Amino acid sequence: READDVFLASLVPPGAGAGGTPRRSLFGFERVHVRAGETVQVYLYPALTDFTHVDRTGIRQALAGEYKVHFGVPDTVELGQGYAEDTLRMV
C-alpha cells in the first residue's frame, strides 16, 4: 500500500532538561512518498550549531558530552516504520 511518511531526526543533548538545555531538539525532517514494496533512503544531517548551547548570558558555546541521536519515532516501529538511535560523543 502506498503512503506518505514524515521522517524526523532529533538530538538529546548532554544535561538535557537542566539549566536551560533543551530536552530534545529537532534537527531535520523530510516528507517522503513510499510506494508498496519500495524502500526509501532519507539523509538528514545536524548542523554544527546543533552541538552548541547558549548560556544565560547569551553566549553560544560548544557543548561537549554524549548526544543521543534519534531517527524516526519509536512508537511507530510496530506500524512498520523505521526507527534508529545512536550515541555521539562530542569533545
Side-chain angles (χ1 to χ4, degrees), residues 6-28:
V6 176
F7 194 78
L8 306 173
S10 63
L11 289 173
V12 176
T21 303
R23 291 177 188 222
R24 181 182 300 245
S25 62
L26 181 70
F27 69 81

Side-chain angles (χ1 to χ4, degrees), residues 10-74:
S10 63
L11 289 173
V12 176
T21 303
R23 291 177 188 222
R24 181 182 300 245
S25 62
L26 181 70
F27 69 81
F29 67 94
E30 186 172 336
R31 179 179 294 277
V32 294
H33 182 77
V34 184
R35 293 187 175 105
E38 181 181 54
T39 299
V40 176
Q41 291 185 352
V42 175
Y43 298 93
L44 300 171
Y45 300 95
L48 291 177
T49 55
D50 291 321
F51 300 99
T52 64
H53 175 73
V54 177
D55 67 19
R56 292 175 191 232
T57 64
I59 297 174
R60 183 176 295 276
Q61 302 178 32
L63 183 59
E66 287 190 359
Y67 287 77
K68 297 227 184 277
V69 185
H70 299 264
F71 296 98
V73 179

Side-chain angles (χ1 to χ4, degrees), residues 69-86:
V69 185
H70 299 264
F71 296 98
V73 179
D75 296 339
T76 62
V77 170
E78 62 192 36
L79 301 173
Q81 297 177 358
Y83 175 75
E85 64 179 69
D86 205 347

